[in-house]
Amino acid sequence: MTLEFLLCLGALFFLAGIGIPIAYAILVSSIVYLFAAGESIGVAGKVLMDGLYQSFILLAVPLFIVAAGIMNAGTISDRLLRFCIALVGRFRGGMGHVNVVASLIFSGMSGSAVADAAGIGKIIIEMMTKTGHYTRGYAAAITAASATIGPIIPPSIPMVLYALVSNTSIGYLFLGGIFPGLLMGVVLMAVNWWISWRRDFALDEPVPLAELPRLTVRAFPALLMPAILLYGIYGGVTTPTEAAAVAAFYALVLAGVFYRSLSFKALGQILIESARSSAAIGLVIGGALILNYIVASENIPSMLAEHMVGLDVHPLVFLLGVNVLLLLLGCLLDATTIILVIIPLFLPACRELGIDLVHFGVVAVVNCMIGLITPPYGVLLFVINAVTRIPLTEIIREIWLFLFVLLAALAAMILFPGIVLWLPRMFGYAG
């Protein structure tokens, strides 16, 4: 490791440690490296522009963000929530089940855990606490845990970013996330039922079954969005980026024309917020592109791959070790940074050890999403705290059991790759 790269790492950890936003920390540390190595600052500009212009798939990120913003507006969330309440609200822990099922449905629309938690999550927390059957800490904890499903079931912004750094098929990544997302939903509903039984939570008033067909019809156009998205990609009609544009357009037509619940003023606010979110992600992507160029210049991924092969590490041991490291990093770093900066270091080693990159990518994204609810720096915990004013101590006190079962689901995905790869292989994936 050269002195220039040590200076780069030192600057990165120092700036991040004193609270500088990670995007700025990456950019400044990269510039420190270029100056120390005697390279022109224009190299950073060239790497940045080449990376952005050659990555058409990045356009999917702002489009999915816009689609999520529109779907969270107006009466769409309300219609879907009523459908979920009629479907699973009658069982023990009913509103907790509604919370998880709503996240499963919204995960097919937003691709963002934060959008899920800040949008529909806030509504469900208010509904759960209003019944008097659930503590506010429990309602916030299950909301944060279920929001982690959002980026696993397609569409998924983190998977788009992983496809960017790994040159993996985004279509197969999306397919690979379906069963893991459903598995996460099942284990969360199971632990919600168990806690509800142990604490003797009162049953919520059920919606009459006679109402279910009417509520299904009202929610059906919104429920069609994931199907349209997946058919567009896997039916060969659209690329993933074009599918994101179709999703945003469909959400706009649905909210503005079909449901008549979206005003021009609200649309303008959604576009402004989407632009801010996209810019924040774009800054991290830009910094990561430059930092990845530096890492490649130092030949670190190749050296790491050769070292792993030289140690004769078993692929499963390597995969478990990387996931433990990612879980630890998830306590301190956000998911975007881990995917764009840390994960590319391990990709050459994965190729050398014969680890499937679709399997690795889905597992890594699930790992990063679990990191969003891992104290002390669980982004979703802070998001829910910000939108509901529920103290962090109450949320963290209730989050541990949900965190444990999600880690168990992650372990199953690592040990049994078929959970991830069965569906992609059904659609022709040769990995």
Side-chain angles (χ1 to χ4, degrees), residues 294-314:
I294 292 170
V295 170
S297 300
E298 293 284 318
N299 205 31
I300 290 174
S302 297
M303 288 190 294
L304 183 62
E306 292 171 6
H307 183 64
M308 289 296 169
V309 174
L311 288 176
D312 194 26
V313 176
H314 191 277

Side-chain angles (χ1 to χ4, degrees), residues 74-387:
T75 62
I76 297 175
S77 301
D78 180 62
R79 291 169 188 264
L80 289 172
L81 269 179
R82 290 182 183 276
F83 168 73
C84 295
I85 292 170
L87 194 64
V88 296
R90 65 190 70 252
F91 305 113
R92 175 74 66 179
M95 287 305 298
H97 296 320
V98 168
N99 201 321
V100 177
V101 172
S103 291
L104 284 168
I105 293 174
F106 268 79
S107 66
M109 301 175 189
S110 68
S112 168
V114 173
D116 191 353
I120 195 171
K122 180 183 178 183
I123 301 170
I124 298 180
I125 290 172
E126 291 175 355
M127 293 173 66
M128 291 181 71
T129 53
K130 195 177 293 183
T131 65
H133 302 163
Y134 309 90
T135 64
R136 58 182 186 174
Y138 182 81
I142 192 172
T143 300
S146 65
T148 61
I149 302 172
I152 309 304
I153 294 179
S156 167
I157 292 173
M159 287 188 188
V160 171
L161 300 180
Y162 174 80
L164 169 69
V165 298
S166 66
N167 291 321
T168 311
S169 165
I170 185 64
Y172 289 132
L173 284 169
F174 279 5
L175 276 176
I178 293 176
F179 278 175
L182 294 175
L183 175 62
M184 293 167 71
V186 168
V187 299
L188 288 176
M189 292 178 75
V191 78
N192 172 66
W193 177 86
W194 184 78
I195 292 174
S196 300
W197 175 73
R198 285 291 302 270
R199 299 184 185 180
D200 197 25
F201 287 158
L203 287 169
D204 298 298
E205 184 177 350
V207 176
L209 285 174
E211 291 288 305
L212 185 57
R214 182 181 64 85
L215 293 171
T216 303
V217 169
R218 291 188 69 204
F220 186 71
L223 294 171
L224 270 180
M225 184 173 171
I228 292 172
L229 188 71
L230 293 174
Y231 174 76
I233 296 173
Y234 307 119
V237 180
T238 64
T239 66
T241 304
E242 291 164 349
V246 171
F249 179 73
Y250 180 76
L252 181 60
V253 171
L254 195 62
V257 179
F258 192 81
Y259 289 146
R260 298 184 181 276
S261 61
L262 185 66
S263 65
F264 283 106
K265 182 179 179 181
L267 177 60
Q269 190 62 36
I270 288 169
L271 293 176
I272 291 171
E273 292 300 323
S274 299
R276 287 173 177 165
S277 299
S278 301
I281 295 175
L283 278 173
V284 179
I285 292 172
L289 287 171
I290 302 169
L291 187 59
N292 288 341
Y293 162 80
I294 292 170
V295 170
S297 300
E298 293 284 318
N299 205 31
I300 290 174
S302 297
M303 288 190 294
L304 183 62
E306 292 171 6
H307 183 64
M308 289 296 169
V309 174
L311 288 176
D312 194 26
V313 176
H314 191 277
L316 181 59
V317 174
F318 173 78
L319 202 53
L320 288 170
V322 169
N323 275 274
V324 170
L325 176 61
L326 294 181
L327 284 170
L328 294 174
L329 290 174
C331 298
L332 304 170
L333 299 174
D334 65 279
T336 303
T337 305
I338 293 173
I339 292 169
L340 292 174
V341 177
I342 307 299
I343 287 177
L345 297 174
F346 301 110
L347 295 177
C350 287
R351 294 187 181 98
E352 291 290 337
L353 295 172
I355 296 172
D356 186 89
L357 290 187
V358 169
H359 177 227
F360 180 76
V362 173
V363 166
V365 170
V366 171
N367 192 314
C368 291
M369 293 308 104
I370 293 174
L372 295 177
I373 61 169
T374 305
Y377 185 69
V379 174
L380 287 178
L381 305 181
F382 289 106
V383 168
I384 290 176
N385 166 255
V387 299

